[in-house]
């Protein structure tokens, strides 16, 4: 007889993407980070996920996966594989059938990694189903529940573990800060100005990356600069925690740019070396530097593992940045595409 009593039910969550200011790059074991990282939780770039579940009679766990209204058997296979890897924590997964429908707020071919928003949305849904099956109350006000969601999201995609908290999150062991390798935590003692930050994602290329993040993390294993990089990231996490406390937007921007270039520097120093930035990325970086030095406006960039520029600035300069951005940066983007995002308040229940 089954240990679990499984009724039919539905759960649904919206979960945002995030942009790391200190980057996670390099991992070991079961998706554990080599260094700590700190990120801004976004809001406009998000995934909506609906899961209908019920007892399985025959057949597979993920019965159906619809992305933006279209059946995606390859995605269903990926989620089935992931769920089969986490039956040690959710034993009932062997007994359910799941029908999943998912949608991203940003276009599929926008060059924006969707793994942080999609894996955190999936983790939210799975932990809520777990609580329902085990008849345990579920609330995002409970830090223990959030940590379990974050830990589950991490197993799907490391950076996803930071998306479950509002505003800023920290993930990965650090000697001087209360953190964990297995889940992220909300970052505390942050000046209000950082809750107002904008992140305009300027689309330089919407092509699929030539080297995936999974392959990129793997290439850190033999990177001769890896140990120095991990130490640099730990030092920058300490520095950033202090900058965030003080509300120093200039030091914040300088650190964000240095981190973005260190991340891409690691890629250029891998064996084999590779390049994810494009000529348009460099052109836009130069335009940002020129505007900043001539105007004094604290607008800086970050990069994810790709060519697109994340333009970071506090809301108090949003009007002046918007007119320069639309005149100078928008023409450099594919079809003038910019996703105007902002620091957000974390996941939201949809049903
Ligand atoms: O979450 P993953 O395994 O796709 O790794 C992504 C790492 C970066 O996005 C490049 C940096 C970060 O910390 O988010």
């Amino acid at each position: 007889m089954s240990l679990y009593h499984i009724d039919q039910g539905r759960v649904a969550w919206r979960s945002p993407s995030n942009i790391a200011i200190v980057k996670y790059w390099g991992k070991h074991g079961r998706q554990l980070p080599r260094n700590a990282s700190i990120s801004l939780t976004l809001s406009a770039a998000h995934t909506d996920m609906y899961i209908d579940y019920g007892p399985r009679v025959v057949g597979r766990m993920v019965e159906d996966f619809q992305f933006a209204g279209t059946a995606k058997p390859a995605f269903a296979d990926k989620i089935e594989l992931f769920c089969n890897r986490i039956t040690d924590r959710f034993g009932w997964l062997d007994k359910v059938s799941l029908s999943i429908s998912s949608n991203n707020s940003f276009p599929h071919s926008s060059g924006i990694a969707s793994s942080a928003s999609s894996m955190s949305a999936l983790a939210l849904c799975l932990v809520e189903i777990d609580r329902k099956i085990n008849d345990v109350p579920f609330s995002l006000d409970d830090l223990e529940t959030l940590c379990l969601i974050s830990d589950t999201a991490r197993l799907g995609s490391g950076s996803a573990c930071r998306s479950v908290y509002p505003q800023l999150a920290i993930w990965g062991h650090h000697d001087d800060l209360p953190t964990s390798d297995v889940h992220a935590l909300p970052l505390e003692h942050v000046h209000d100005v950082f809750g107002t930050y904008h992140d305009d994602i300027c689309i330089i290329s919407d092509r699929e990356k030539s080297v995936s993040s999974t392959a990129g993390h793997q290439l850190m294993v033999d990177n001769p600069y890896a140990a120095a990089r991990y130490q640099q990231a730990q030092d920058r996490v300490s520095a950033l925690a202090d900058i965030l406390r003080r509300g120093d937007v200039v030091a914040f921007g300088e650190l964000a740019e240095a981190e973005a270039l260190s991340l891409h520097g690691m890629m250029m120093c891998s064996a084999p070396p590779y390049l994810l930035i494009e000529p348009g990325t460099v052109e836009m970086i130069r335009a940002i530097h020129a505007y900043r030095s001539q105007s004094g406006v604290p607008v800086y960039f970050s990069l994810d593992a790709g060519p697109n520029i994340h333009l970071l600035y506090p809301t108090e300069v949003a009007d002046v940045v918007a007119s320069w951005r639309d005149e100078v940066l928008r023409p450099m983007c594919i079809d003038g595409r910019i996703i105007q995002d902002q620091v957000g308040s974390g996941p939201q229940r949809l049903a």
Side-chain angles (χ1 to χ4, degrees), residues 18-20 22-25 27 31 37 115 157-160 162 213-214 217 263 267 304-305:
N18 68 76
I19 177 74
V22 175
K23 310 291 183 182
Y24 145 64
W25 199 239
K27 61 181 174 181
Q31 202 92 302
S37 55
S115 63
S157 166
S159 56
R162 297 183 309 238
S213 285
T214 308
H217 284 292
L263 170 68
M267 298 172 189
D304 219 327

Side-chain angles (χ1 to χ4, degrees), residues 57-204:
V57 186
V58 284
R60 49 187 280 155
M61 183 192 314
V62 181
E63 226 179 285
D64 183 32
F65 187 100
Q66 304 265 333
F67 182 75
T70 306
K72 296 277 180 191
F75 286 10
D77 291 348
K78 269 193 188 166
I79 295 189
E80 175 104 15
L81 208 66
F82 170 66
C83 288
N84 275 320
R85 289 207 315 264
I86 57 170
T87 50
D88 55 341
R89 69 178 55 185
F90 303 126
W92 48 267
L93 277 170
D94 281 335
K95 311 282 176 211
V96 288
S97 94
L98 306 172
S99 177
I100 306 175
S101 137
S102 164
N103 218 326
N104 287 346
S105 62
F106 44 97
H108 188 49
S109 60
S110 63
I112 303 300
S114 56
S115 63
S117 55
S118 58
M119 292 316 296
S120 55
L122 178 62
L124 282 149
C125 290
L126 291 178
V127 172
E128 188 175 10
I129 296 172
D130 179 72
R131 296 310 202 224
K132 283 178 191 273
I133 288 175
N134 290 301
D135 207 13
V136 174
F138 176 91
S139 164
L140 292 194
D141 294 334
D142 172 34
L143 186 60
E144 215 178 294
T145 302
L146 280 165
C147 289
L148 175 63
I149 296 166
S150 176
D151 183 0
T152 305
R154 170 187 62 85
L155 294 171
S157 166
S159 56
C161 77
R162 297 183 309 238
S163 275
V164 307
Y165 300 107
Q167 302 215 336
L168 282 103
I170 181 165
W171 169 45
H173 172 79
H174 194 282
D175 283 344
D176 304 331
L177 294 160
T179 59
S180 164
D181 272 352
V182 294
H183 58 75
L185 284 168
L187 189 67
E188 282 164 359
H189 312 297
V190 173
H191 191 284
D192 288 348
V193 70
F194 296 107
T196 77
Y197 255 68
H198 290 243
D199 177 1
D200 294 339
I201 309 168
C202 302
I203 311 302
I204 301 289

Side-chain angles (χ1 to χ4, degrees), residues 2 37-38 49 58 73 77 93 101 111 135-136 156 158 176 219 277-278 283 300 312 316-318 325 329 336 346 351:
S2 172
S37 55
I38 292 180
M49 190 172 281
V58 284
D77 291 348
L93 277 170
S101 137
D135 207 13
V136 174
D176 304 331
L219 285 169
I277 54 171
E278 298 281 344
E283 192 192 356
Y300 292 83
L312 301 170
E316 66 198 22
V317 295
R325 178 200 64 208
L329 303 189

